[in-house]
Amino acid sequence: MRLLINEIEVDAPPGTTIKDAAKLARIRIPGLCDYPGIEHYGGCRLCLVEVEGMRGYPSSCTLPISEGMKVKTDTSALRELRKNILELLLSEHPCGCLFCERAGKCDEIREGMRKVPETVGCRYCPKDHRCELQETVALVGLEKIELCRLGSHKEVMRSPFFDRDPNLCILCGRCVRACDERSGGVVSFHFRGFDAGIGTAFEKPLEDVGCRFCGACVDVCPTGALVERANKWAGLPEKIVETTCPFCSCNCKIGLEIKNDKILRTRTTGSKLCVRGRFALEFVHHQRLTRPLIRKDGELVEADWKEALAFVAEKLSGYKGRDVAMLVSGVLTNEALTAAKTLAEQAMDSRAVAEDYSSRYNLDEIVKGPLLVVGDLSETNPATELAVRAAKPVVLSPIKTLLAKNASLWLRERPGDEVLVLTAIAKVAISALADQDRKSLEKVEGYSEFSKSLDLLKKDDISISPSEIGKATRALSRGTVVVSPDSDLEIKKAAGNLALALGGKLCLVGRNCNSRGSSILGLSRGFEDTMHSLQSGRTKAAYIVGCNPARASARMAEILSNLEFLVVQDLFLTESARLADVVLPAASFAEIDGTFTSTDGRMLPLKAAIKARSKSDVQILSDLLSIMKDGTKENKAEAELKADNSQSSPKASQPEMQREAAGESPEPVKTRAQANEFIILSFLPVKLQSAPRDSCQLVVGPRLFEFGSGTRTSRVHDLLYLNKKRKVEINPEDGRDLEIADGEAITLESGEKIINRAVRISRRVPKGVMHVCGRKSEAVSAEVKRDV
């Protein structure tokens, strides 16, 4: 469509607002309530324009363009109107510094001024020089304010990660609209007149009303009303380094604000960050190891790199094959994973393994078709969940998750019945196939055995009604089955069978930032064998890089403590490192250059933002390999180190990565029975077991505020606080039957597991089911005991 804005001809697509069309012509219209990516509001009234043939002054951020429209944005009437509106807005905002005759001449005393407990002007505000209100005053041309200050002082509220100062709030509503999209509306407008503000229901703390602390409200706030508490007064950064988030497989882009070789804060760069990517990167500066440690006389003592690497090389040379295990993680870069794999194969005659697995998928593509989601992606992969939520999927979950609230169909199964329900949908899908399609399916490997399990499936065993199973089947034709990373192997196999029956695809979502890179390198193959060898005592030595099994499992801590020789390579003195004979300190993600592999096969850059406190994983592993191979020839890991130092992508030493980046399929996995390594070429046998009906079911699921074993997130103060507030969710009917009140402490016993938690009465869980967060997802029977 064509229109005239200030006599300038502009072409813009239908549906574009006047304000967005003006941006195309580089015409800036003031405004404080609109923000890219959130619903237009038109509340601040600063973006008013004149439209020929239209009465009044419409808001340009809400009015769509039309063919031949003539718009004026900078008339004398508009300028006067905007000044009056802005003056009224500033009458409730501390703005003395905006019009001070000595503005800009108080820098030498600014730090002292900021110790004043109340913000009375820009120089006292943590968002000074980063405030949109300052920019808008300059743009509008307001030079003085004649209205007296209105309203009374309100208390500043302290929340995890950020402070909320209602005295600086201009009621633009950005945070309310951003929260509606991300967390389902935790905050909203309340009260009227001078008491009007933004807050939670019944003024409860954010952590008690379901806030996910994604920081979207802080990102969109135009003033200092919402400010991140960490480095609050640090001011503007010296530089911003764009890199990739080091947590889950969403691979969000982040911008690291750097000053004095320190991360001040994280900013979004087009991605929708969760609490981990937005606020949890302070671990980079927390109690890091900088020198190697060697155990001498039962104590870990500092050593230099030459001594430590020589000692590790000498000891490891005595172990070969199954005698030694190399455990790595999907949080490592492609270069580090390749170096670990090379070291294990060439120097130890063994293999590097990782628990992590991710199938190849393009999220933008799969959300265009029918979706079935198994598990709670909002706790493991929040950005993926947001994208899937918009597609209105079918959801299989016993808990009322964010996805379940927005689902086109919610299948609320009994905990533990997931395999039964998935198999039941597959049975109905196969029965509905045309004869020719069914005959084609019968030729698929494993179908005969699978069809026998379908015959054993009984209607009474399934906790979902036949009508809902039928609805799901019809809705999912040729759709994608998405499985969260916390789902167990049987669920993944059943999901694969269903994808085959539907003629669709299987999407196994990875847990870590480089799950896909780990999968391409085949590091999930043999993981179960390696763990069995460790548990049986067959393995005598281990080298652990980037993971902390001793924190994740008490059993693994016992196994590691009984090894003859243990090396741990990590950022911190972790629980596993405390058991080690040698601890090698590694550089963090913010201190190295490298790559991760995205779920669709792209190479994602990781860029060094601050000076490294130690050697990179690649350098450590390649130096060690050089010693163990007597340094006689250049090896693959050394080549990767050179690529890492030159900031290039992995090439000849990573043929699997090459195929992935080119869009080719990785080599097919031949062993389909092992955990996390099958691809959907055949039907797989599953165990059809019904969950107990005569006992209380405890569902243990992942938690957004803790990642993996918690090694990094446990070093973030406010995440520790939120994790301490874990509660057991119980249905109101169960609470009445058991005479348990909200907030009361109880003890749950399930086998040898004992859990002590306070109770939260919640309708998220069905009757007969309790929910608690943990590191390993499972559904078990439990007995409830009240604490005396």
Side-chain angles (χ1 to χ4, degrees), residues 435-738:
D435 291 341
Q436 185 175 353
D437 293 334
R438 191 181 299 110
K439 288 179 180 178
S440 298
L441 204 61
E442 290 172 355
K443 297 177 183 178
V444 176
E445 182 183 344
Y447 179 81
S448 177
E449 191 68 26
F450 177 67
S451 63
K452 292 177 183 178
S453 66
L454 297 183
D455 295 336
L456 297 175
L457 199 62
K458 298 178 181 178
K459 186 188 302 182
D460 295 339
D461 292 337
I462 304 169
S463 51
I464 302 295
S465 69
S467 63
E468 288 185 308
I469 295 290
K471 287 180 184 178
T473 307
R474 290 189 294 273
L476 293 171
S477 178
R478 301 197 177 278
T480 302
V481 183
V482 181
V483 184
S484 67
D486 59 299
S487 300
D488 66 28
L489 177 59
E490 289 300 311
I491 293 176
K492 292 176 181 179
K493 291 196 294 185
N497 293 339
L498 174 58
L500 270 176
L502 293 170
K505 300 175 183 178
L506 175 66
C507 171
L508 298 179
V509 179
R511 186 185 309 276
N512 293 310
C513 50
N514 200 22
S515 294
R516 187 61 196 147
S518 172
S519 303
I520 296 167
L521 291 172
L523 300 183
S524 60
R525 305 173 197 174
F527 177 79
E528 294 295 329
D529 286 344
T530 300
M531 296 306 295
H532 178 73
S533 186
L534 278 166
Q535 292 167 2
S536 67
R538 171 70 174 82
T539 298
K540 307 299 181 183
Y543 194 137
I544 299 174
V545 187
C547 52
N548 188 8
R551 179 181 175 90
S553 164
R555 172 62 178 148
M556 280 303 301
E558 181 184 355
I559 291 170
L560 295 180
S561 64
N562 291 327
L563 292 175
E564 293 178 3
F565 186 65
L566 175 63
V567 182
V568 173
Q569 186 171 308
D570 213 319
L571 280 67
F572 317 104
L573 189 62
T574 63
E575 288 79 358
S576 298
R578 293 180 189 279
L579 303 173
D581 297 286
V582 180
V583 181
L584 302 176
S588 74
F589 86 101
E591 301 161 349
I592 61 173
D593 292 314
T595 59
F596 295 145
T597 303
S598 68
T599 57
D600 58 355
R602 291 173 293 114
M603 291 296 176
L604 304 174
L606 199 65
K607 296 181 180 179
I610 57 177
K611 184 179 179 181
R613 296 192 180 189
S614 183
K615 293 186 177 185
S616 70
D617 289 304
V618 176
Q619 188 174 359
I620 296 169
L621 294 165
S622 57
D623 285 351
L624 182 58
L625 179 58
S626 181
I627 296 171
M628 296 182 74
K629 300 286 285 186
D630 297 325
T632 56
K633 61 179 181 178
E634 183 177 321
N635 51 69
K636 292 183 180 180
E638 290 172 330
E640 284 308 316
L641 174 59
K642 291 180 179 179
D644 182 40
N645 289 336
S646 63
Q647 301 185 33
S648 64
S649 297
K651 292 187 172 58
S653 61
Q654 293 190 38
E656 299 97 333
M657 300 289 180
Q658 275 190 306
R659 285 195 297 272
E660 184 80 2
E664 301 173 16
S665 299
E667 292 181 359
V669 179
K670 296 179 181 178
T671 306
R672 301 186 182 90
Q674 289 185 316
N676 296 333
E677 64 176 76
F678 57 85
I679 56 177
I680 306 307
L681 298 176
S682 65
F683 285 99
L684 300 168
V686 293
K687 299 175 183 177
L688 299 179
Q689 290 181 308
S690 300
R693 300 293 195 266
D694 56 351
S695 61
C696 188
Q697 287 291 100
L698 174 64
V699 176
V700 181
R703 182 167 171 80
L704 175 65
F705 303 129
E706 186 173 53
F707 186 77
S709 66
T711 299
R712 291 176 291 176
T713 50
S714 65
R715 286 163 172 77
V716 180
H717 179 270
D718 284 338
L719 285 181
L720 275 177
Y721 164 75
L722 290 170
N723 278 317
K724 286 180 180 178
K725 293 181 71 67
R726 294 181 182 181
K727 295 183 178 181
V728 177
E729 292 182 277
I730 296 181
N731 185 274
E733 292 185 42
D734 290 327
R736 286 193 298 269
D737 294 344
L738 297 170

Side-chain angles (χ1 to χ4, degrees), residues 745 785-788:
K785 294 184 178 180
R786 299 176 64 179
D787 290 357
V788 180

Side-chain angles (χ1 to χ4, degrees), residues 98 126 262 294 302 312 355 381 397 496 512 517 526 644 760:
L98 286 170
K262 183 180 179 181
I294 296 178
E302 287 190 353
V312 172
E355 185 178 12
N381 304 71
S397 172
N512 293 310
D644 182 40
R760 171 177 288 156

Side-chain angles (χ1 to χ4, degrees), residues 59 62 84 120 136 197 252 256 321 350 387 393 421 425 440 467 475 570 602 628 708 771 787:
S59 57
T62 60
N84 290 336
V120 294
T136 303
C252 295
L256 301 180
S350 183
V421 175
I425 298 174
S440 298
S467 63
D570 213 319
R602 291 173 293 114
M628 296 182 74
H771 177 256
D787 290 357

